[in-house]
Amino acid sequence: MNPHLELLHPYPFQRLRQLLAGVTPPADKAHINLSIGEPKHPTPEVVKQALIGALDGLAAYPATLGSEALRRACADWLARRYQVTVDPARELLPVCGSREALFSFVQAVIDPRGDDKPVVISPNPFYQIYEGAALLAGAVPHYVNCVAANRFQPDWSSVSEAVWQRTQVVIVCSPGNPTGAVMSLDDWRELFALSDRYGFVIASDECYSEIYFDTPPLGGLEAARLLGRSHERLVMFTSLSKRSNAPGLRSGFVAGDAAILEKFLLYRTYHGSAMSLTVQEASIAAWQDEAHVVDNRAAYAAKFSAVTERIGKLLPVSRPDAGFYLWAEVPGGDDVAFARELFAREHITVLPGSFLARDAHGVNPGAGRVRLALVAPLAECVAAAERIEQFTNR
């Protein structure tokens, strides 16, 4: 077996199941799950009807490159959303969700040759696929802490010259998971300057970009346009899972550096990750429709308005820049004990922040916090806030 498999850490939800094993919650309280970022709003009818109408596509092998119509729909969306122009034939690829794409991209980009192991830099806390992708590519993950004192942005000054010299990929997530923090244009300017200096590829995970309150989050390709840059060494990743409440569709796309995507397409041709023609048609319908996205944002905004202030009086937290998570501090600072006791007393599941991070530079930047995913219906989120209030006031 691949020896790198032994380096993988248990997934956060596996650790959560182990934490809650043997705990018997009160039977008279319905379970409210705020632990997993799985959208619960209905998938739009326009997407479902397009899927049903394209079932004949199941009878054909799809091309890894995807249909011209899908790539054009994705490119048109980039133009509307970010005023970014990409060549849909060379600078864009459909993918089976951003998770699959992020993992396979690192496998394709990492060059293992040389005396020193390559480095993949990841924010900390982070989406665990970043770490697993690095380890299975034979690279070393390097964690850059994202803490409140730095607006939950990575502190690039903490990275040594020796690490930068070995760095081949830097992964950023904006809006961030779990913090909801959005990179500013100055943040992008700094990261681009580092990429120019050290030659690493930027993988920009933007799967939460369409869940915001007032100002649309800045994207990586948009930042490059505003700074007068090309797409060199930059690839963005996005998905319909959060934007269109379609996590089971497994559909998204990547866009950016044409030279990198040419090689990534070659990798994907062998990898066997072509998107079904049926899913492609549903995806076209999703990318072409914005009405359901507006409604989706409004539904999340209503939940944040209903619970953030209430929870914030007890667990220090503020509304994030974007996304659907609250990144809340817990009394006493023991996030693991808090999550276990909250489940035991109130039948509410939240994710300990320390499960989403690694010890780095002497701290675990997720410790003392919990991630609350406001994906449940509004009434459930309000009920959860009420129970958390009761639990914390005991």
Side-chain angles (χ1 to χ4, degrees):
M1 300 295 290
N2 184 340
H4 295 143
L5 289 168
E6 300 300 323
L7 302 176
L8 297 180
H9 294 263
Y11 214 61
F13 299 106
Q14 180 183 348
R15 296 178 66 186
L16 182 61
R17 285 192 295 272
Q18 293 171 347
L19 175 67
L20 303 181
V23 177
T24 303
D28 62 333
K29 295 182 179 180
H31 181 222
I32 300 177
N33 189 357
L34 304 181
S35 67
I36 187 167
E38 180 181 45
K40 298 299 182 183
H41 299 168
T43 303
E45 282 298 317
V46 65
V47 177
K48 293 192 285 188
Q49 291 305 314
L51 187 74
I52 293 169
L55 292 178
D56 286 347
L58 297 175
Y61 281 120
T64 305
L65 185 59
S67 70
E68 182 178 351
L70 173 60
R71 286 181 278 113
R72 171 53 60 189
C74 296
D76 287 347
W77 179 79
L78 283 175
R80 292 194 305 272
R81 172 63 171 82
Y82 297 112
Q83 295 75 56
V84 166
T85 300
V86 299
D87 179 352
R90 300 178 58 250
E91 294 181 297
L92 191 149
L93 287 175
V95 296
C96 299
S98 54
R99 174 175 178 163
E100 170 269 311
L102 284 160
F103 178 84
S104 58
F105 183 77
V106 174
Q107 312 311 300
V109 170
I110 287 295
D111 182 354
R113 294 171 296 183
D115 295 332
D116 296 321
K117 278 195 171 186
V119 168
V120 173
I121 289 183
S122 165
N124 192 31
F126 58 94
Y127 181 42
Q128 197 153 323
I129 294 302
Y130 308 159
E131 177 187 72
L135 292 170
L136 287 172
V140 176
H142 182 85
Y143 310 102
V144 182
N145 293 343
C146 301
V147 298
N150 199 43
R151 301 178 294 111
F152 294 114
Q153 293 297 333
D155 178 11
W156 303 123
S157 67
S158 69
V159 182
S160 69
E161 177 71 15
V163 170
W164 281 127
Q165 292 288 351
R166 295 164 52 200
T167 298
Q168 295 187 10
V169 179
V170 170
I171 302 174
V172 291
C173 184
S174 179
N177 173 13
T179 65
V182 171
M183 292 176 66
S184 69
L185 189 60
D186 284 341
D187 294 328
W188 278 107
R189 183 183 285 108
E190 181 183 10
L191 184 59
F192 287 145
L194 289 166
S195 176
D196 290 344
R197 180 175 179 181
Y198 295 105
F200 57 77
V201 174
I202 301 169
S204 179
D205 181 358
E206 302 176 13
C207 71
Y208 294 93
S209 69
E210 301 315 288
I211 303 171
Y212 56 85
F213 303 100
D214 303 309
T215 303
L218 182 67
L221 296 181
E222 182 184 22
R225 175 183 65 79
L226 292 172
L227 294 171
R229 298 177 58 89
S230 72
H231 300 156
E232 186 179 8
R233 298 188 308 279
L234 171 63
V235 176
M236 62 84 74
F237 299 71
T238 192
S239 163
L240 291 173
S241 295
K242 277 73 176 179
R243 173 189 181 273
S244 298
N245 301 311
L249 198 64
R250 308 315 302 140
S251 176
F253 69 86
V254 302
D257 189 315
I260 293 175
L261 293 188
E262 180 182 15
K263 297 296 186 182
F264 191 35
L265 173 60
L266 174 63
Y267 176 94
R268 295 179 67 77
T269 302
Y270 281 85
H271 187 59
S273 50
M275 185 188 298
S276 160
L277 294 175
T278 302
V279 172
Q280 289 189 46
E281 289 300 317
S283 302
I284 291 170
W287 290 117
Q288 290 179 339
D289 182 74
E290 287 296 322
H292 75 272
V293 186
V294 174
D295 291 342
N296 195 37
R297 275 197 294 273
Y300 282 116
K303 288 187 278 191
F304 275 97
S305 295
V307 308
T308 304
E309 184 176 353
R310 186 167 194 165
I311 291 177
K313 293 177 181 177
L314 309 160
L315 312 179
V317 70
S318 57
R319 194 182 74 173
D321 295 337
F324 52 51
Y325 299 118
L326 284 175
W327 186 228
E329 296 182 55
V330 302
D334 190 337
D335 53 301
V336 175
F338 180 91
R340 194 173 193 274
E341 286 303 306
L342 182 64
F343 181 76
R345 295 185 185 182
E346 300 295 339
H347 210 175
I348 295 174
T349 307
V350 298
L351 189 63
S354 58
F355 289 7
L356 290 165
R358 297 281 177 257
D359 291 344
H361 317 294
V363 298
N364 180 315
R369 292 181 179 267
V370 291
R371 192 186 76 176
L372 292 77
L374 300 188
V375 293
L378 175 59
E380 285 191 30
C381 289
V382 171
E386 292 172 350
R387 291 195 215 168
I388 290 172
E389 184 175 25
Q390 294 169 5
F391 171 75
T392 308
N393 281 334
R394 287 177 182 172

